[in-house]
Structure formats: C-alpha cells, structure tokens
Amino acid sequence: MMGPAHSLSGAAAWLGVGAAAAAFDRPMPWPVLVVGALICAGAALAPDLDHKSATISRAFGPLSKWLCEVVDKLSYAVYKATRSKADPRRTGGHRTLTHTWLWAVLVGAGCSAAAVSGGRWAVLAILFVHLVLAVEGLLWKAARVSSDVLVWLLGATSAWILADVLDDPGNGANWFFTGPGQEYLWLGLPIVLGALVHDIGDALTVSGCPILWPIPVGRKRWYPVGPPKGMRFRAGSWVELKVLMPAFMLLGGLGGASALGYI
C-alpha cells in the first residue's frame, strides 16, 4: 500500500485498541489515545525504511535518505544469508527484514526501553520522529508542498506539547504499565502495532509480505504471506483509494468514539 493508506490504517488500529481497552476496563486517557494514534500512524510508514523512494526516505532530508540506503543493504544482506533454495533471488532488500514481525517487536521494544531509561529527551525524540512521519502520511498533500523545516517544527512543537500533557497526573504517562519507573513503557506498543499493520497491508497487495520470517512456511523461509491471488490488489489502485482508505477512516472514527465512551 501507499503511505497515506498505511498511516490511516495505523491510526485506525490504535483507536480500535483504545475501544478494546475500554471494553476490558483498562480505558486510555484521551492523551494516550491521541498520542498513540499519531505514533501508530507514523510507525506504519517505518517498515519502508528499506526503500529509497518511500515517504520515510524524504521525511528527514539527507539523513533519512542515507539511512534508507543503509537499511536496504542490511536487509539484502540478511536475505541473502538466510534465504532457502526455494526463495527467489533478489537485487535489493525491500520487503524483507523490516517487513517482519521480528523487526516490529525489536523496534518497539527498543523504543520502550529508550523511553524508560532515557527520560524526557528520549520520549521527545520518539514522539518527534513519529509525529513527523504521521504528518507526512496523514497530511501528505500539505506536507509535499510545505518546507521540510516547517514539518519538522510542527513535529517538534507537537512533541513538546503532548509530552507536557502526558506528564500531568492521570493523563497517561503510566498507562497500562503502572509500576515504579515504568512511565512511558507503553510507547513501544503503538510502534509494534503500526509496523505490523503496515506488513498486513502490504500482504494484501500483489507481492505479499514475509511477515512470518524467520519462521519457515513450506520450503520457503521468506514466504510472502497474503490472501489468494484473486483477492490481492496493486498498491495505489482504486481498491486502496476508494475502498480501504474510507473504511480506515470510518473504523477509526468508530473506534475513537467507543474508546472515549460516546458509543
């Protein structure tokens, strides 16, 4: 799928988690619902860090372009080192390492650990990166015609304000993980969810997605998970634009309303 659809699906997924949390008597404070949805929307773009033409490659200027090249080479090296004889030969690393459940869990766990051990500045960094990505994904038309610096300023300002809101008692710094020293441990959850939602979205397209790696399926270690080929679509097709994106908006709205107790 394309960037806007990925971001919408990520936001909708976290709002759905908020609805489920409310149903199980672990309701999210509204700042957690909002911040989590934005983080998840941004994280739903992050697996494409292995693609030099993806939205994330443009999000942070030369730094993100360079990082995409590094991750692409790393992913390709891992693919070559671990592929079975049944896996096809490739010339690049797109839709390999960063499109797996293992990558999602490791990145999410790393961000949670950084948030807990690094304090406010680590939290601000995590929020900044994902809010910039959320703007690039959800407001992609405006972001395309705006200066990168303006998008970065919006991300930095929003990160600072939202971190202050979360720090207020009862606003969610210690949501879900309530033990001493576990403030912001939950930040990794929307990051894991966003990456997995991205992978599931890509699995619906023609090429499929090797979400299960390194678990082998049949004779393939990099098995491209997906529905039957007749149910798949091409990225950017009318199915994505006219069916899935409106569905994500509708489901996200229902999930948010349920999470906040309006329905």
Side-chain angles (χ1 to χ4, degrees):
M1 291 198 300
M2 305 299 285
H6 279 310
S7 284
L8 273 176
S9 66
W14 185 256
L15 294 171
V17 169
F24 285 95
D25 294 324
R26 296 296 297 271
M28 295 179 184
W30 71 263
V32 174
L33 188 69
V34 172
V35 172
L38 291 172
I39 291 175
C40 204
L45 295 180
D48 277 343
L49 195 57
D50 61 3
H51 195 326
K52 63 181 180 180
S53 298
T55 301
I56 190 173
S57 73
R58 302 185 298 270
F60 300 96
L63 176 61
S64 54
K65 289 182 180 179
W66 170 80
L67 188 58
C68 282
E69 292 179 2
V70 172
V71 173
D72 177 40
K73 292 177 181 178
L74 172 64
S75 299
Y76 181 49
V78 172
Y79 181 83
K80 286 200 302 181
T82 61
R83 63 179 286 268
S84 69
K85 292 181 179 180
D87 290 310
R89 294 186 179 277
R90 303 176 59 99
T91 57
H94 182 48
R95 286 204 189 183
T96 55
L97 179 62
T98 62
H99 287 68
T100 65
W101 70 269
L102 183 60
W103 177 272
V105 171
L106 289 177
V107 172
C111 287
S112 284
V116 171
S117 61
R120 180 177 176 84
W121 288 107
V123 170
L124 286 172
I126 293 168
L127 289 178
F128 169 71
V129 169
H130 289 91
L131 289 175
V132 168
L133 291 177
V135 171
E136 292 282 357
L138 297 174
L139 303 176
W140 65 277
K141 288 186 177 180
R144 286 284 178 87
V145 299
S146 299
S147 155
D148 286 342
V149 175
L150 290 178
V151 175
W152 299 341
L153 287 174
L154 176 59
T157 304
S158 302
W160 192 276
I161 293 171
L162 291 171
D164 281 345
V165 172
L166 287 168
D167 280 339
D168 286 341
N171 275 1
N174 62 345
W175 175 74
F176 201 74
F177 300 99
T178 57
Q182 294 183 346
E183 292 81 6
Y184 292 110
L185 187 60
W186 63 269
L187 278 185
L189 298 178
I191 294 172
V192 174
L193 180 61
L196 291 177
V197 168
H198 177 110
D199 296 345
I200 293 170
D202 278 355
L204 298 176
T205 62
V206 173
S207 300
C209 186
I211 303 171
L212 298 178
W213 183 87
I215 301 170
V217 177
R219 296 185 300 114
K220 293 185 177 182
R221 191 172 296 277
W222 293 89
Y223 183 82
V225 174
K229 291 189 176 181
M231 299 175 62
R232 302 186 188 190
F233 58 88
R234 293 191 178 278
S237 69
W238 68 270
V239 175
E240 179 178 332
L241 300 176
K242 302 296 185 181
V243 178
L244 292 182
M245 289 180 67
F248 294 150
M249 288 188 280
L250 176 61
L251 292 173
L254 292 173
S258 179
L260 294 173
Y262 290 113
I263 57 174

